[in-house]
Amino acid sequence: MRGFSQLSPTERRLLLEVFWARTSARSDLAGRLDFSKSKINAAITDLIGAGLITEIGPQPSSGGRRAEGLRVTLRDGLIAGVDIRATHMDVALLSPDMSIMARHCEPISVRGEPEPLFARLRDVLDLLLRQMGQERERIRMIGIGVPGPVDFESACLATPPLMPLWEGFSPRQALAADFDVPIFVDNDVNILALGTLWHLSRSADDFLVVKVATGIGCGIICRGQVYRGVDGAAGDVGHICIDPKGPVCHCGNVGCVEAMAAAPAIARAGAAAARSGESPRLLELLQAHGALSPEDVGLASREGDPAANAIIRGAGADVGRMLATLVNFFNPSHVFICGGVAAIGPAFLASIRQSVYQRSLALSTRHLAIRPIPHPDDAGIVGAGVLGFLEAI
């Protein structure tokens, strides 16, 4: 298979267009790229010969002769997508059209040293390959998301608040000896944003993906591309101060939205309400489980517990206060909410919406939609696959 570095600018544009379109006819590609028929046919012939795209048969007719469809193939190669989060690791082997061919998810902790986790990741990748009856050589590229700031060029973690033992660690180097393929690493919310862009088929070009879980982060899609900033730190919104008199955050500052509205903060507030006698229902759950989770607080809220409902709505209002600033600044078409906290009940999302619309300028919210992320179960690993493909070519 020809290397990506050998592609001409025309071939690279064509390959990207086929990738994003999932399947495309030659005539459609020529129109979208403003290429002549001879130019598009020559580039398609070269890419087919290089094993990067393949013809998949006639497409539905729009009135004339049915055109042959095209899609990315990588000569039957696979893309590994790895979504490492604070409490679990999701790994998949994907076809170039982002179909999940094999998948494994397991609980982890990122609080410890990263080397044992990446030794396990190598084992999981080998396990998935064995399940498919394939060898390591079938993997053509690897995309990885991690729950911390990443220097995108070096693929090293940079002062990650949730995982201080990962400082300076390079996931790329950890896998390079076993997988001689392009490996790219990004923040986990950025890969969620890429997965969302894929699922939307690029129908929206300017949107935010906000993850509320153990931490709070934001993936930024600007003009159809991930915006990372100069050093890869764009989107670290969890440490925006919303209350100068608020609690101390693990980053060392006070009043960060993450310290007030992320999963640990919700669990702490629930435990405090239980022990103070403010919520008998939360006390029952605390005694039954030994500790309270955000899901417990969400359950009590949905059951009508006033204290739990106030906690959930307060956390949503805090996130909305932070988001109103982003909406006024960036004016996105959508804000997609995801993460474990986002799933604890409708009151959380409703409170976010109320806070954003109250605090944002009317023009900034004229066309704004705030909703759950589409395809939450696979946006991360699909986004990791998209990352691997886009950066490799």
Side-chain angles (χ1 to χ4, degrees), residues 173-184:
Q173 291 181 6
L175 295 178
D178 296 281
F179 297 92
D180 185 21
V181 297
I183 300 171
F184 301 95

Side-chain angles (χ1 to χ4, degrees), residues 139-380:
I139 295 179
R140 303 283 194 257
M141 56 204 68
I142 300 174
I144 304 172
V146 293
V150 176
D151 182 314
F152 192 72
E153 293 300 320
S154 68
C156 290
L157 275 290
T159 58
L162 292 178
M163 39 212 270
L165 296 179
W166 291 51
E167 168 66 27
F169 176 75
S170 172
R172 176 184 293 159
Q173 291 181 6
L175 295 178
D178 296 281
F179 297 92
D180 185 21
V181 297
I183 300 171
F184 301 95
V185 186
D186 207 346
N187 180 268
D188 61 343
V189 191
N190 285 346
I191 67 168
L192 285 167
L194 279 173
T196 302
L197 188 66
W198 172 264
H199 286 305
L200 294 174
S201 299
R202 294 191 300 177
S203 61
D205 285 336
D206 298 278
F207 62 83
L208 305 176
V209 173
V210 178
K211 179 184 174 187
V212 187
T214 305
I216 298 177
C218 177
I220 305 165
I221 297 294
C222 182
R223 297 187 177 181
Q225 297 182 333
V226 172
Y227 179 77
R228 298 183 177 91
V230 174
D231 297 308
D236 196 2
V237 299
H239 301 287
I240 292 176
C241 177
I242 60 169
D243 184 357
K245 297 180 180 180
V248 177
C249 180
H250 56 80
C251 74
N253 292 314
V254 298
C256 296
V257 66
E258 189 168 296
M260 299 177 65
I266 292 173
R268 286 194 300 270
R275 295 190 178 102
S276 69
E278 188 180 358
S279 172
R281 178 57 177 140
L282 287 175
L283 181 59
E284 289 177 9
L285 292 169
L286 176 61
Q287 293 171 339
H289 301 159
L292 282 179
S293 68
E295 291 75 17
D296 292 326
V297 182
L299 172 63
S301 172
R302 293 192 301 275
E303 291 175 347
D305 182 85
N309 195 48
I311 292 169
I312 297 300
R313 289 191 172 277
D318 287 340
V319 172
R321 190 175 299 119
M322 175 271 293
L323 278 176
T325 301
L326 301 186
V327 166
N328 283 332
F329 173 75
F330 185 58
N331 188 206
S333 64
H334 296 75
V335 174
F336 295 106
I337 309 295
C338 63
V341 174
I344 61 178
F348 181 72
L349 185 59
S351 187
I352 290 176
R353 287 191 180 115
Q354 182 179 18
S355 185
V356 169
Y357 285 114
Q358 282 180 345
R359 294 174 177 273
S360 300
L361 298 174
L363 186 59
S364 297
T365 57
R366 179 177 295 176
H367 298 106
L368 177 67
I370 303 173
R371 61 185 59 166
I373 191 172
H375 304 278
D377 294 336
D378 64 18

Side-chain angles (χ1 to χ4, degrees), residues 98-121:
M98 295 299 116
S99 298
I100 298 171
M101 311 304 292
R103 183 176 186 175
H104 175 84
C105 186
E106 64 180 54
I108 60 162
S109 172
V110 297
R111 300 289 185 180
E113 297 281 353
E115 287 82 2
L117 189 152
F118 274 79
R120 175 58 184 159
L121 173 56

Side-chain angles (χ1 to χ4, degrees), residues 4-5 7 11-13 15-17 19 52 74 141 182 184 387-393:
F4 292 124
S5 62
L7 295 177
E11 290 169 338
R12 186 171 280 107
R13 282 187 64 193
L15 184 60
L16 281 170
E17 192 64 37
F19 173 74
L52 296 177
L74 303 181
M141 56 204 68
F184 301 95
L387 170 72
F389 181 87
L390 292 180
E391 296 302 325
I393 68 166

